[in-house]
Amino acid sequence: MSRTVYLNGSFVPFEEARIPIMDRGFLFADGIYEVSAVLDGRLVDNEAHLARLDRSLGEIGIRNPHTIAEWIGLETELAERNGLDEGVVYMQVTRGVAERDFAFPPADTPPSVVMFTQKKAIVSSPLAETGARVITVEDLRWKRRDIKSVALLAQVLAKQAAAAAGVAEAWMVEDGAVTEGSSSTAFIVTKDRRIVTRPLSTALLPGITRAAVLRLASEADLAIEERLFSVEEAHDAAEAFYTSASAFVMPVVSLDGRTLGDGHPGPLTRRLRALYIEMARAG
Ligand code: PMP
């Protein structure tokens, strides 16, 4: 099946989709993106992703070009046209095309909208079976990480450092505490079985999977602590995992080369992953 993408009002073959060089997304990374998972052909926790998209756009003063119902219609049609059973739908909105100038273009400049799908084995992921190895890197980002900006250079460098080290993810560190993963939310499980993750603030992205996992953990009467945790505490944790729309709950089995627990995905992590998959399947 040939790949179909969405560009500014039309579904077009991937090869025909073109963006003008004056698009502010290209020139300034002046835009917002969002990613929703698809499982069994259905969108997962999608309305929460669309709410975050709307909030991020509002925070930088870009008009949301679509209603929630329109977004859902576009995502569903795109997934169908691409025969997507399992993977992700990517959505991006930029401040549009205008002569290069830092300040906002005229208010009637239409935002640019791009959407595409990517197939991915999320549930039967080999990495989830073995568990991921992770390194820590310095968090080089700006101060509004709660906004899902397409300006991802610090995350690109973090993920490349992980790739160079032969591991799956990098956890970013500021003032000795883990902020989040380069494309995920970081969690540890203490030896007394408490699930710890950083509280929401402008220092990190409010992960949609994070929120669902905390809800599931609380429904299962598991102990949760929303607080900062240090790299040293993470090195010493009984278990660790990270969450994202495209990985769900991913076990971490080593951090900076130190083995966590017995070097296999931990029991609490496996339980949360199973609960999340069950929730995603229930739709
Ligand atoms: N933090 C960062 C920096 C991310 O890029 C992502 C993935 N978009 C997440 C956390 C996880 O967010 P979500 O669960 O909404 O995918």
Side-chain angles (χ1 to χ4, degrees):
M1 188 186 289
S2 70
R3 189 178 196 186
T4 299
V5 301
Y6 177 85
L7 174 61
N8 294 332
S10 314
F11 291 96
V12 291
F14 170 65
E15 297 74 20
E16 290 171 23
R18 295 279 182 278
I19 295 279
I21 65 162
M22 290 295 181
D23 192 284
R24 292 179 62 98
F26 177 64
L27 295 178
F28 297 119
D30 186 359
I32 298 296
Y33 76 109
E34 197 47 69
V35 178
S36 281
V38 169
L39 183 62
D40 304 334
R42 284 206 316 263
L43 290 153
V44 177
D45 214 358
N46 184 47
E47 300 217 0
H49 284 280
L50 293 177
R52 185 174 65 186
L53 174 62
D54 188 65
R55 177 189 180 269
S56 287
L57 288 168
E59 288 298 302
I60 65 166
I62 296 181
R63 178 175 60 81
N64 188 340
H66 296 298
T67 63
I68 298 268
E70 286 168 358
W71 278 117
I72 295 173
L74 294 172
E75 292 174 279
T76 306
E77 180 164 355
L78 190 65
E80 274 168 19
R81 283 180 182 250
N82 287 283
L84 187 71
D85 189 50
E86 191 169 335
V88 297
V89 176
Y90 177 94
M91 299 158 258
Q92 175 170 318
V93 181
T94 75
R95 207 180 303 275
V97 179
E99 187 57 39
R100 187 176 185 276
D101 187 5
F102 283 77
F104 292 1
D108 60 356
T109 306
S112 304
V113 180
V114 170
M115 298 170 69
F116 56 83
T117 59
Q118 291 178 319
K119 284 188 198 301
K120 190 176 181 219
I122 304 176
V123 169
S124 54
S125 144
L127 192 61
E129 294 299 316
T130 56
R133 293 183 297 145
V134 171
I135 55 165
T136 55
V137 298
E138 189 187 347
D139 197 332
L140 299 174
R141 296 175 299 162
W142 72 326
K143 293 182 179 167
R144 288 301 308 277
R145 303 159 189 161
D146 55 314
I147 297 171
K148 202 163 167 64
S149 156
V150 295
L152 291 169
L153 187 53
Q155 288 95 315
V156 166
L157 297 178
K159 197 73 98 179
Q160 180 53 31
V167 305
E169 176 61 306
W171 281 6
M172 297 181 287
V173 175
E174 185 172 60
D175 299 330
V178 174
T179 47
E180 56 187 329
S182 67
S183 61
S184 60
T185 306
F187 291 75
I188 57 170
V189 179
T190 60
K191 297 209 163 84
D192 58 351
R193 297 174 61 79
R194 306 177 79 78
I195 298 162
V196 181
T197 195
R198 193 177 175 114
L200 296 184
S201 69
T202 51
L204 75 167
L205 188 76
I208 302 303
T209 321
R210 171 193 186 280
V213 163
L214 290 181
R215 198 165 58 238
L216 292 166
S218 136
E219 283 164 14
D221 282 329
L222 301 170
I224 298 163
E225 282 177 17
E226 287 185 69
R227 62 165 172 82
L228 266 58
F229 62 89
S230 68
V231 176
E232 290 71 35
E233 190 179 6
H235 284 160
D236 247 15
E239 301 180 31
F241 61 94
Y242 56 84
T243 62
S244 72
S246 61
F248 289 3
V249 176
M250 180 60 70
V252 174
V253 292
S254 89
L255 186 63
D256 295 325
R258 296 167 186 238
T259 302
L260 298 179
D262 64 0
H264 297 286
L268 238 155
T269 303
R270 281 191 277 117
R271 181 156 171 218
L272 289 170
R273 181 171 172 84
L275 286 172
Y276 189 87
I277 291 171
E278 194 184 307
M279 180 216 80
R281 287 233 153 95

